[in-house]
Amino acid sequence: MLQHLRNMRHGHERHYDGHNPAGSAMVFLLLGGLGLQAILGWLLTTHTFHENALIETVHPILGNALLIAAILHVIGVIISSKLTKQNLAKAMITGQKTKKTPRIDSRAALTAALSIHALPPTFARTYLTTL
């Protein structure tokens, strides 16, 4: 992830089909933080932890930290969108990025693999027609 952030700082970012390393870390941070925030909030409603000083201190701090993380996330999305020339905000909603990475045709790859390994022609013909 640190190498990815260094590359971003220098204006270079490669294309990822899913989240880039910084985005992946942010997903874990936000989801984990929200989960912890929910658990702490629930604990404050229980008889045992209702007035627990530690939880009463950590809960609002974690809430503020999550707000800061969300703001950093938006800033990161804007920067990454500009570097990759992709509308990442739209991709978060639709699940589709505008720029696709080249994919290898599975039939062509399979044909090449079969010809390299010199499988009997009848097996290759039978297998390829079922794809």
Side-chain angles (χ1 to χ4, degrees):
M1 184 181 80
L2 293 177
Q3 183 62 42
H4 172 75
L5 293 174
R6 276 189 222 103
N7 289 343
M8 279 185 72
R9 190 177 65 197
H10 292 100
H12 306 292
E13 184 173 355
R14 63 174 261 223
H15 173 77
Y16 293 89
D17 285 337
H19 289 91
N20 64 36
S24 296
M26 187 58 76
V27 167
F28 285 113
L29 176 76
L30 288 171
L31 291 177
L34 286 171
L36 183 59
Q37 183 75 335
I39 291 169
L40 291 175
W42 170 75
L43 285 173
L44 286 172
T45 67
T46 64
H47 180 69
T48 307
F49 296 100
H50 177 64
E51 293 182 5
N52 185 290
L54 178 62
I55 295 176
E56 286 180 345
T57 301
V58 171
H59 188 67
I61 292 171
L62 181 58
N64 289 329
L66 286 168
L67 181 60
I68 291 168
I71 292 168
L72 290 174
H73 176 65
V74 170
I75 292 169
V77 167
I78 291 169
I79 292 169
S80 190
S81 291
K82 291 197 179 291
L83 289 175
T84 61
K85 296 177 179 42
Q86 296 177 348
N87 187 344
L88 295 177
K90 181 181 175 186
M92 285 183 225
I93 296 167
T94 65
Q96 301 289 322
K97 286 190 175 182
T98 54
K99 187 177 180 182
K100 302 283 186 193
T101 56
R103 298 251 182 229
I104 297 173
D105 181 351
S106 60
R107 280 188 183 226
L110 182 60
T111 304
L114 290 175
S115 64
I116 289 171
H117 292 359
L119 290 174
T122 54
F123 174 77
R125 249 183 277 120
T126 304
Y127 186 75
L128 288 175
T129 57
T130 61
L131 291 179

